[in-house]
Each structure stands twice: as structure tokens, then as C-alpha cells.
Amino acid sequence: MAQKNYERTIRTTASRSEAYAALTTGFTQWWTSDAGTFEKPGDVAKFGFSGKLGYWKFKATSLEPNRVELECVEALHLHEGQPKEIETEWLGTRAIWDIQETVGGTEIHFVHDGLTSDLLCFDICEAGWDMFFVDSLQAYLDTGTGKPHV
């Protein structure tokens, strides 16, 4: 039986263009203060977490007003007490945000394609995405203040 990908949806009062900006050039406001940006497809950006937690590099494969898609091209997920295999589990996975205008705001549907429950990091990463995507991005888009890792 195929494993399900991590998947969540948030609704915000922000406009679609504000959501798009947060998902291409605004990562420092809601995900991590050590984040790159994406201007065009093919751009590669690094997202670090204080050295001790590692980093990921993503390549922009689609940057459209209603869709942002990134592919993990380098991974070093350091997590004490976990097997070495956890370090590169995100390689080849894709972070996909679909952005749709709604009455009064925007809906963002996020799928981390390849982040499934059979991965060693799943529980850690599910909690991380819930904190950063569901909580921090939502807060940033609704209030202007997110809760990024610093």
C-alpha cells in the first residue's frame, strides 16, 4: 500500500500575491532566518537551521502565481540519536504549494511529495511543517509576524 505524503491546507486573509511572495522570497519571515529566495525556475536556495540541525537546498521547478514547486537537491538533516540514513531522506522530494484566491483571502494547499510515514524523519518533519507552515506561515500572512527558526 502506498504511503501518503505530508499534506495540509491553510486559509488566510492575505492576497494570492502576498502568499506567493512568502513562498518565493519571504521564507526568512516564517520558516528559517537562514533562507534563500527564488526569482525564477532553476534557482537553487539553501535553508539552514543553526548548523546543528543541518540544511536543505531546493531547486525551483515551477514558480507560477498559483503554484510554487521546489525539489530538494541537497540534504543534511542532522538529528541526534537518529540513524545516518535520516540525513538525506529529503533528497528528490518536492515541496508543492498550490495558491488559490478565495472570498476574503487565499487558500494554500501544501504537499511535501515524498515525505511519507515510512521515512525515519516523518514524525519530526510532520511536527516541523505543522509548526512552520500551519502555524508560522499562517501567522505571517494574517498578521505580518511569523515564527521562523532563528
Side-chain angles (χ1 to χ4, degrees), residues 70-90:
L70 311 175
E71 179 182 355
C72 184
V73 295
E74 191 173 325
L76 182 62
H77 184 190
L78 302 174
H79 207 280
E80 192 173 321
Q82 293 290 327
K84 186 165 180 59
E85 293 81 22
I86 199 172
E87 293 180 4
T88 57
E89 285 187 311
W90 277 25

Side-chain angles (χ1 to χ4, degrees), residues 11-148:
R11 289 166 188 80
T12 176
T13 57
S15 69
R16 184 175 66 179
S17 63
E18 290 168 324
Y20 178 82
L23 297 168
T24 54
T25 60
F27 293 104
T28 60
Q29 302 301 309
W30 64 272
W31 192 10
T32 178
S33 60
D34 183 11
T37 62
F38 301 100
E39 300 290 332
K40 63 187 179 317
D43 284 353
V44 175
K46 183 178 178 179
F47 299 82
F49 290 83
S50 302
K52 67 179 181 172
L53 300 176
Y55 69 88
W56 292 270
K57 285 186 181 177
F58 286 91
K59 179 181 180 179
T61 56
S62 179
L63 297 176
E64 301 294 330
N66 63 342
R67 185 179 179 91
V68 172
E69 184 174 329
L70 311 175
E71 179 182 355
C72 184
V73 295
E74 191 173 325
L76 182 62
H77 184 190
L78 302 174
H79 207 280
E80 192 173 321
Q82 293 290 327
K84 186 165 180 59
E85 293 81 22
I86 199 172
E87 293 180 4
T88 57
E89 285 187 311
W90 277 25
L91 274 178
T93 66
R94 298 177 308 135
I96 304 164
W97 290 274
D98 287 308
I99 309 162
Q100 299 300 319
E101 288 180 319
T102 62
V103 174
T106 302
E107 180 176 281
I108 305 169
H109 181 75
F110 175 57
V111 175
H112 189 154
D113 183 30
L115 178 58
T116 57
S117 61
D118 60 330
L119 297 184
L120 294 169
C121 75
F122 183 78
D123 291 339
I124 298 162
C125 296
E126 178 183 44
W129 277 130
D130 284 352
M131 181 174 64
F132 292 117
F133 173 69
V134 176
D135 186 26
S136 183
L137 179 59
Q138 176 86 54
Y140 174 62
L141 290 172
D142 286 343
T143 71
T145 303
K147 304 169 190 172

